[in-house]
Amino acid sequence: MRAEDISTIDEANAFLPGLVERFNAKFARRPANDKDLHRPLRQSDKQLREILCLKDQRYVGSQLTITYDGKKIILDPDGTAKGLVGKHVDIHQYADGTFSVVYAGEALPHTICDNAQQQVMHTSIVENKRLSAVLRYVKEQQDQMPEPTIKRANRKNGYKKTGKKPGRTPGTPGKKRAEVSA
């Protein structure tokens, strides 16, 4: 299209039928048998959806959780999911982007938690209009509390500074290694 100096969608739509004709004239071939040998479709839409999906296996953790595609999937603890800890389940991802968790041919109820949405950004904290009021209240509460007593290591509670490590007598060097003769 660039060679034809086409730069708008309307020009491209007008150019397309001629392009298709030239392409078919150059590459199209007549079939060896003119009879239509396609089989009739016998599967329902639901069966086709299950056939034409990406399938993957995931391990079920101790809290009935699965990680898939950057998301944490939490299985509902009711029913079959209780006995799946430590086992593998199938994840079916469909063409529309949705997915299901399947075990032994049965879809399991679940909840999806997107890990990226669970992170708190500093901008969302700064934009919180009540934050300064909450911090002021916390400071007032802390100011009303008595000062905490900090226990320090001193002679009153039994600490004695000796200046040496226990088990060594002053002036003695550390243990020497035994020499090995060849």
Side-chain angles (χ1 to χ4, degrees):
M1 288 191 212
R2 190 174 285 168
E4 297 291 326
D5 198 30
I6 295 173
S7 59
T8 66
I9 294 175
D10 293 332
E11 291 173 347
N13 286 336
F15 175 72
L16 191 60
L19 176 69
V20 170
E21 285 178 29
R22 288 192 305 273
F23 184 86
N24 286 340
K26 185 174 182 179
F27 295 106
R29 299 289 176 255
R30 298 222 19 103
N33 186 352
D34 286 337
K35 185 177 179 184
D36 185 8
L37 298 176
H38 288 93
R39 295 180 187 166
L41 185 63
R42 293 190 179 137
Q43 283 81 15
S44 67
D45 289 342
K46 185 177 180 182
Q47 289 172 324
L48 278 177
R49 188 170 192 247
E50 288 298 317
I51 292 170
L52 301 173
C53 69
L54 294 173
K55 296 178 182 175
D56 203 355
Q57 282 193 336
R58 288 293 189 263
Y59 176 82
V60 179
S62 62
Q63 297 177 338
L64 295 176
T65 58
I66 304 165
T67 304
Y68 181 75
D69 195 27
K71 296 173 179 64
K72 184 184 278 188
I73 302 169
I74 303 169
L75 299 177
D76 289 343
D78 304 333
T80 344
K82 287 181 186 176
L84 295 179
V85 173
K87 296 184 180 177
H88 285 84
V89 293
D90 294 326
I91 306 288
H92 293 190
Q93 184 174 3
Y94 304 106
D96 61 359
T98 61
F99 57 90
S100 64
V101 181
V102 179
Y103 182 74
E106 179 186 344
L108 302 173
H110 60 276
T111 307
I112 301 169
C113 297
D114 192 354
N115 292 340
Q117 293 175 350
Q118 291 179 346
Q119 295 176 355
V120 177
M121 303 300 290
H122 71 282
T123 54
S124 63
I125 294 172
V126 172
E127 291 173 4
N128 188 344
K129 294 178 182 178
R130 292 187 45 192
L131 182 62
S132 59
V134 170
L135 290 175
R136 231 180 294 130
Y137 174 75
V138 169
K139 179 156 179 22
E140 289 171 6
Q141 294 297 317
Q142 288 176 345
D143 290 344
Q144 291 175 2
M145 297 174 101
E147 282 290 320
T149 56
I150 301 171
K151 292 185 177 181
R152 292 194 164 84
N154 57 24
R155 286 181 173 56
K156 291 180 184 175
N157 61 10
Y159 176 76
K160 296 176 185 172
K161 186 174 181 180
T162 60
K164 61 181 180 179
K165 293 184 179 181
R168 283 183 138 186
T169 55
T172 345
K175 293 181 180 178
K176 292 186 179 179
R177 294 184 182 177
E179 291 183 20
V180 179
S181 59

